[in-house]
Amino acid sequence: MTTRFETEQKSGLLQRILTALPYVVLTISIVPIIIGFVWIIVATFSYRTQGILPINAQGKIGGLTLQNWTFLLDAKIWRVTFNSAMIALGMVVGVGFLSSLTGYALSRMNFRGRKTFLGMTLVLHAFRPELLLIAIFQVLLFIAGIPIAGKAFGFNTVGGVAIVMVSLELPLGIWLMKGFFDNISWDMERAALIDGASRFRVWWEIILPQIKPGIAALAIFNFISGWNAYLIPYTFTIGTKVSNLSVFLNQFSSDTSPMGWNQVAAVGLFQLIPILIFFIFTQEALLNIYGGGTKGGA
Amino acid sequence: MKVELTNLTKRWGDVVGAEGIDLSTKDGEFVAFLGPSGCGKTTTLLMIAGIYKPTVGEILFDDRVVNTVPPKDRNIGMVFQSYALYPHMTVFQNIGYPLKLQKVPKDELQKHVQRVADMMGIGHLMDRKPAQLSGGQQQRVALGRALIKEPQLLLFDEPLSNLDARLRLSMRSEIKRLQMDLGITSIYVTHDQIEAMTMADRVAVMKDGHLQAFAPPDELYDHPKTLFIAGFVGNPPMNFIEVEVKQENGSYQVLGPGIHLDLPADRGEKVARSSKVIMGIRPEDISLADTGVKGEVYLIEPLGRDDLLDVRIGETAVRVLADPALGVRMRDTVTLHFNTDTAQLFDPDTEQSLLW
Ligand SMILES: Nc1ncnc2c1ncn2[C@@H]1O[C@H](COP(=O)(O)OP(=O)(O)O)[C@@H](O)[C@H]1O
Ligand SMILES: [Mg+2]
């Protein structure tokens, strides 16, 4: 009996080690990343750092400062931050709304030119924005000539930048959304139609909730790309009134060069905060995947 | 409500879903669409539901053409094979959804959903999501959702296919009872002939998009109009043997390899013109006897109450139901008596019955 007990215990121990092993490996591998983050945060509040410890002029530990964050006192920074937020949210809403409607139509409805549209969408995505800059410029100039709309979406407006960014991101968004819709069973949609829902209501109440994780992923993706946008705002805006954060900070750092590492870290951290906040808000939807409504069957 | 289909046809380019379906139900009738997979049952059902537009033909509800009426205005309830529950909604929300769409006031909706859920035996599961339910419970939710509108027509698309055999049996009788109690005209699609035969008042047999027959179960069983129906209806399936029918001074005989049987005159008369026929005879109409056709037992499948014997008569294989007490063993030579009083006879070319 004792021998059997021992072997059981041994295998129990082995079992425990095997369970713990992945956690140990993951913890060890994440440590450098965490150290990196801690270093950045510490650095933004110090003159200099040694390792992850802040040091003062005498080389002693200490010497914390808010000096790296003084760029926040500049009123212009808040203006461009607001612009960045508008571009980012514009992309989240614009791409999210348009591609979830278009993706649904492409996935569920049969209409003339559907195949061509799908093919063209893919081709469009292959064009790099750099190639299109001059054409986009012409379009923005044209829009600027239209009364009222020109003020909001023409050349050298935040709206114009947002529209261009949305258009460039739409092909991918549409393809992604179409893929998500393709995976939803037809029966569920038919059931809702028979239950008495209109097509639009089916889309909104039945189908969209199923693809929340996909929508959240697309939203984060668009938020990041809108928030960090550089090329388009840099090309199509003049001056800080309509500029965005990336462009402004880039100019800011070249104006005040040489810029210390610690200040770069502060700027970088500042730019990261909204993305983290946005992620926190969307992560529940992102990770919320239903266990499937049905057992077997198609 | 009466449902009438006239020349109902659905095609996608060259693909035929259903072709020229003519059929009309009585009010409160339980009709089953029976046929193998891919024969167009779902297509026909979805046309009745208004999901598919017919290519040709008309659908009438109580003599009113509804071809262009959208599904939501047809006042129907439908149960899908996959249940098609809304996974992000609770049981309560799932069942209540049709009422919510009708803007029924909250407290009335609450009462109504509770009553239907209680009727379906899932009243205690209201706050669960579909993923937290067993297959049988999901099926009940789907049924409740279909019933809550008090529809005039219930459509079922193989609703029991995903359940285990035991549950299928109990749900079968439950659905049947429910339908009888509520008296709602119902169309029930299935590939399972036992389901169709046991539940339906009349069965529409479909094959390759065409309606083969529309008749009460016992008529399909006793008077199959085509070879296909004869083979599809009944379990274990009917035996088919290629034979010749000969007439000798007033009496008819069936002749095949190793087979020589008498045929009742009322049946024999009908084949007078074509001598080569396919004879269909059910396993329960063949018995072990002292005199008759000799064959060798090739395989024995115990079914519990009976043994299903696969007997070879020369090249011809026939299934026979035998009493296990007889102790038949593999490779035994047995003598078979064919009860030709119920034998079916088919034209080998048209596959139509020569009798009905
Ligand atoms: N949306 C569709 N597009 C093209 N062909 C279809 C479509 N739906 C069904 N079919 C075809 O129609 C035939 C009948 O299908 P279906 O009605 O689903 O059969 P069943 O329900 O009897 O198994 C099949 O050959 C199927 O491939
Ligand atoms: Mg089907």
Side-chain angles (χ1 to χ4, degrees):
Chain A
M1 283 310 276
T2 46
T3 52
R4 191 162 147 217
F5 180 66
E6 270 169 22
T7 50
E8 264 176 17
Q9 205 179 30
K10 221 182 245 165
S11 71
L13 187 66
L14 189 70
Q15 197 63 44
R16 270 171 146 172
I17 293 176
L18 283 179
T19 320
L21 198 63
Y23 291 98
V24 174
V25 172
L26 287 174
T27 310
I28 291 173
S29 57
I30 206 170
V31 163
I33 300 171
I34 291 177
I35 290 178
F37 279 120
V38 172
W39 176 76
I40 289 180
I41 293 168
V42 172
T44 63
F45 293 105
S46 336
Y47 290 107
R48 287 188 294 151
T49 49
Q50 189 164 55
I52 60 168
L53 298 175
I55 55 170
N56 59 18
Q58 284 75 46
K60 299 241 174 60
I61 289 177
L64 293 174
T65 175
L66 285 175
Q67 186 200 298
N68 299 322
W69 290 96
T70 49
F71 70 96
L72 292 181
L73 296 176
D74 190 338
K76 277 182 264 174
I77 189 95
W78 296 107
R79 173 85 220 179
V80 294
T81 303
F82 176 76
N83 289 346
S84 274
M86 289 333 286
I87 295 172
L89 292 177
M91 279 192 72
V92 169
V93 175
V95 177
F97 181 72
L98 290 176
S99 51
S100 54
L101 276 176
T102 319
Y104 177 80
L106 287 171
S107 166
R108 290 303 211 233
M109 294 171 181
N110 221 340
F111 51 89
R112 196 179 283 248
R114 175 175 169 274
K115 281 239 170 73
T116 323
F117 190 96
L118 271 173
M120 293 284 284
T121 312
L122 205 59
V123 171
L124 273 179
H125 188 64
F127 279 94
R128 291 199 50 81
E130 289 88 337
L131 278 173
L132 302 169
L133 284 181
I134 295 174
I136 293 172
F137 179 60
Q138 296 293 342
V139 172
L140 286 178
L141 279 186
F142 171 77
I143 295 176
I146 302 172
I148 304 170
K151 287 271 186 298
F153 300 109
F155 175 71
N156 200 26
T157 59
V158 177
V161 169
I163 268 197
V164 171
M165 298 282 301
V166 166
S167 321
L168 290 174
E169 223 46 76
L170 264 183
L172 185 69
I174 289 171
W175 263 90
L176 283 175
M177 294 305 282
K178 178 191 172 286
F180 295 137
F181 287 122
D182 283 347
N183 284 326
I184 306 280
S185 94
W186 279 91
D187 279 354
M188 202 187 299
E189 193 161 353
R190 289 169 181 157
L193 285 174
I194 290 171
D195 281 350
S198 64
R199 199 80 196 239
F200 184 80
R201 210 145 171 194
V202 173
W203 172 78
W204 177 252
E205 267 183 0
I206 304 296
I207 307 294
L208 278 194
Q210 315 297 319
I211 57 166
K212 258 192 194 160
I215 295 175
L218 189 68
I220 289 188
F221 184 77
N222 277 310
F223 188 86
I224 293 175
S225 104
W227 183 259
N228 291 338
Y230 184 78
L231 179 71
I232 303 296
Y234 179 69
T235 316
F236 299 117
T237 61
I238 307 161
T240 52
K241 240 181 97 184
V242 290
S243 184
N244 75 339
L245 196 60
S246 309
V247 173
F248 178 76
L249 290 178
N250 193 44
Q251 276 156 3
F252 171 83
S253 58
S254 23
D255 290 350
T256 58
S257 60
M259 194 160 119
W261 245 116
N262 300 12
Q263 208 176 352
V264 171
V267 168
L269 198 60
F270 176 69
Q271 229 184 326
L272 193 66
I273 290 167
I275 293 175
L276 291 180
I277 293 173
F278 193 80
F279 179 74
I280 289 167
F281 277 115
T282 44
Q283 88 167 338
E284 198 191 329
L286 195 64
L287 304 178
N288 188 1
I289 296 160
Y290 298 106
T294 55
K295 297 223 154 116
Chain B
M1 191 178 68
K2 287 181 293 178
V3 177
E4 189 178 348
L5 313 178
T6 56
N7 192 28
L8 194 63
T9 300
K10 180 72 186 176
R11 298 189 208 101
W12 295 271
D14 295 337
V15 182
V16 174
E19 183 80 45
I21 309 274
D22 285 306
L23 171 157
S24 83
T25 76
K26 298 191 197 89
D27 182 32
E29 197 176 18
F30 195 121
V31 172
F33 282 9
L34 175 66
S37 181
C39 70
K41 307 182 296 290
T42 299
T43 304
T44 310
L45 203 65
L46 288 176
M47 282 193 282
I48 297 172
I51 302 289
Y52 285 166
K53 282 198 199 78
T55 314
V56 185
E58 282 180 341
I59 301 161
L60 294 93
F61 287 181
D62 273 342
D63 303 321
R64 187 171 64 101
V65 178
V66 293
N67 279 32
T68 55
V69 177
K72 68 188 176 77
D73 300 326
R74 292 196 183 193
N75 197 13
I76 50 179
M78 182 156 173
V79 180
F80 294 83
Q81 178 180 356
S82 63
Y83 314 144
L85 299 178
Y86 313 128
H88 57 297
M89 296 186 187
T90 61
V91 168
F92 177 84
Q93 291 167 325
N94 264 284
I95 298 178
Y97 191 62
L99 294 189
K100 185 185 159 199
L101 292 170
Q102 290 177 357
K103 302 203 170 62
V104 171
K106 262 229 173 73
D107 48 340
E108 194 180 321
L109 183 144
Q110 173 96 32
K111 254 188 265 163
H112 216 81
V113 172
Q114 189 66 48
R115 213 194 47 194
V116 168
D118 287 341
M119 181 170 80
M120 301 309 307
I122 45 171
H124 57 297
L125 302 170
M126 290 295 209
D127 297 324
R128 300 251 194 112
K129 294 273 176 70
Q132 299 163 315
L133 300 177
S134 73
Q137 291 166 335
Q138 292 187 27
Q139 184 59 262
R140 285 160 193 273
V141 178
L143 210 57
R145 186 180 61 184
L147 286 173
I148 196 153
K149 279 197 296 190
E150 293 166 4
Q152 288 190 288
L153 174 64
L154 273 173
L155 304 174
F156 299 87
D157 192 358
E158 313 212 13
L160 305 183
S161 304
N162 288 343
L163 299 179
D164 59 70
R166 237 186 129 77
L167 203 52
R168 201 177 309 164
L169 213 68
S170 62
M171 284 302 284
R172 198 166 84 193
S173 40
E174 216 164 311
I175 291 179
K176 175 70 185 156
R177 198 214 63 223
L178 205 65
Q179 193 272 340
M180 280 166 73
D181 288 352
L182 300 174
I184 304 172
T185 312
S186 300
I187 300 180
Y188 186 104
V189 159
T190 179
H191 64 263
D192 181 347
Q193 56 97 18
I194 298 181
E195 255 173 46
M197 300 292 278
T198 52
M199 298 174 83
D201 299 323
R202 277 193 288 173
V203 180
V205 183
M206 290 185 69
K207 185 197 179 197
D208 300 333
H210 291 267
L211 185 66
Q212 291 247 326
F214 183 42
D218 51 351
E219 192 182 322
L220 286 182
Y221 192 83
D222 296 332
H223 309 281
K225 283 205 171 59
T226 67
L227 193 68
F228 174 77
I229 297 170
F232 203 76
V233 169
N235 189 30
M238 188 182 274
N239 295 297
F240 296 113
I241 308 167
E242 285 186 33
V243 294
E244 255 179 275
V245 174
K246 284 232 167 79
Q247 185 189 9
E248 270 168 28
N249 42 41
S251 78
Y252 294 88
Q253 255 129 50
V254 173
L255 299 171
I259 297 173
H260 188 165
L261 306 166
D262 290 329
L263 189 66
D266 62 326
R267 302 204 167 213
E269 279 163 8
K270 304 230 170 82
V271 269
R273 296 186 56 214
S274 51
S275 64
K276 270 202 186 315
V277 300
I278 294 177
M279 180 177 72
I281 187 154
R282 296 198 183 276
E284 55 267 39
D285 292 329
I286 309 177
S287 51
L288 301 187
D290 297 331
T291 57
V293 178
K294 285 217 176 336
E296 189 191 331
V297 177
Y298 190 75
L299 194 71
I300 302 174
E301 290 177 51
L303 299 180
R305 195 163 55 99
D306 301 301
D307 277 351
L308 180 62
L309 311 182
D310 182 347
V311 179
R312 300 288 157 103
I313 306 163
E315 296 284 285
T316 314
V318 293
R319 285 174 296 269
V320 180
L321 282 177
D323 188 344
L326 292 175
V328 178
R329 279 166 307 166
M330 302 251 274
R331 287 191 228 301
D332 280 0
T333 300
V334 290
T335 317
L336 302 176
H337 172 256
F338 287 68
N339 177 11
T340 47
D341 290 349
T342 55
Q344 305 292 331
L345 298 164
F346 301 96
D347 184 316
D349 299 321
T350 64
E351 302 195 347
Q352 299 290 317
S353 175
L354 295 164
L355 304 179
W356 326 109

